[in-house]
Amino acid sequence: MPLKKILVIDDDEVDRISIRRALKQVYENPHIEEADSGKDGIERIKTEEFDCVFLDYLLPDMDGVALLRDIYDENLGTAPLPIIMLTGHGKTSIVAEAIRVGAQDYLIKELLSPDTLSIAVTKAREVFDLKVNQKRAEQQLIQSRKMDAIGQLSGGIAHDFNNILTVILGNLSLANVKLPKGVEGDEEINNALSATLRAQNRVQQLLTFA
């Protein structure tokens, strides 16, 4: 997939230049934007769309993990876009925590090159897509189970109501046969029969929905 718009969040200008040069060697005319603080980075992520973000762990106002926690999307179960954490030493605990709260990959700055950068970007985007698709599939499954439960509940209630209405309808029909036409109560029984038949129709609609 083409990489068009990239955000580099790093307060070290030398590192930003290195990343920019490496990106331009790998991708054709990438649009690269920069942020030199966590606050600026968060604002850009929340207001603009990027294909990928390079996030330095050490920022002047916060660390990269704190930034990730701020932008974490509960609905997606990850950050709202592919993020690669940049570290100076690759400490396992930092990397693990960053990935847990939304990063997809990490790069040790000393090992940064066009090749390692390209591999990291590809992996980050693939992992992000995988997580998003998995989360959506889980949400669809939960919704499907909810609808199934509603259908079963509706069907059970409709079935019980249908049984009750059948008894009422049978007794009203019997009373209607036994009661001579025009006597007191005849009209009321006919009205009750009509209402019961309408109620049965509604129950059948509910059973169809279930």
Side-chain angles (χ1 to χ4, degrees):
M1 293 181 291
L3 196 66
K4 296 180 180 179
K5 193 174 180 181
I6 305 145
L7 177 63
V8 179
I9 306 174
D10 195 325
D11 64 321
D12 190 317
E13 186 177 359
V14 174
D15 288 339
R16 294 201 305 270
I17 291 172
S18 297
I19 295 169
R20 188 163 59 244
R21 284 176 177 170
L23 284 168
K24 289 182 177 180
Q25 290 183 52
V26 177
Y27 300 100
E28 184 177 354
N29 299 321
H31 178 76
I32 304 168
E33 295 192 12
E34 300 176 354
D36 59 7
S37 69
K39 182 180 179 181
D40 187 22
I42 290 171
E43 180 65 22
R44 287 173 177 268
I45 289 172
K46 291 184 176 181
T47 57
E48 301 178 46
E49 292 185 6
F50 296 96
D51 295 314
C52 190
V53 173
F54 291 90
L55 171 63
D56 187 22
Y57 174 69
L58 291 176
L59 296 168
D61 53 347
M62 67 179 70
D63 61 47
V65 170
L67 186 150
L68 286 166
R69 288 198 182 101
D70 187 280
I71 64 171
Y72 187 84
D73 189 325
E74 292 288 348
N75 293 324
L76 295 178
T78 186
L81 73 175
I83 292 185
I84 299 167
M85 175 72 79
L86 302 172
T87 69
H89 39 71
K91 189 175 179 180
T92 304
S93 59
I94 293 174
V95 171
E97 182 64 10
I99 291 176
R100 189 184 72 81
V101 294
Q104 281 73 48
D105 201 6
Y106 74 97
L107 272 176
I108 298 174
K109 290 185 177 182
E110 292 180 356
L111 303 179
L112 195 149
S113 70
D115 287 338
T116 58
L117 185 148
S118 177
I119 292 170
V121 169
T122 300
K123 177 183 175 183
R125 299 180 79 187
E126 288 178 350
V127 170
F128 176 78
D129 288 341
L130 182 64
K131 285 184 177 180
V132 170
N133 291 333
Q134 181 180 2
K135 192 68 175 181
R136 286 173 179 166
E138 290 173 356
Q139 291 171 343
Q140 289 174 352
L141 179 60
I142 291 171
Q143 182 66 18
S144 176
R145 287 176 175 172
K146 285 181 180 178
M147 292 303 297
D148 184 54
I150 291 171
Q152 290 185 27
L153 178 62
S154 301
I157 293 172
H159 183 72
D160 289 342
F161 267 114
N162 193 56
N163 289 340
I164 294 169
L165 288 171
T166 298
V167 175
I168 294 172
L169 185 62
N171 282 281
L172 285 172
S173 298
L174 184 62
N176 190 45
V177 170
K178 291 182 176 181
L179 192 66
K181 301 295 181 183
V183 301
E184 186 177 353
D186 175 53
E187 185 178 352
E188 285 77 5
I189 289 177
N190 284 328
N191 290 338
L193 273 169
S194 179
T196 305
L197 288 170
R198 289 198 303 273
Q200 273 199 324
N201 184 54
R202 295 291 185 271
V203 169
Q204 287 302 318
Q205 291 176 347
L206 187 59
L207 281 167
T208 300
F209 165 76

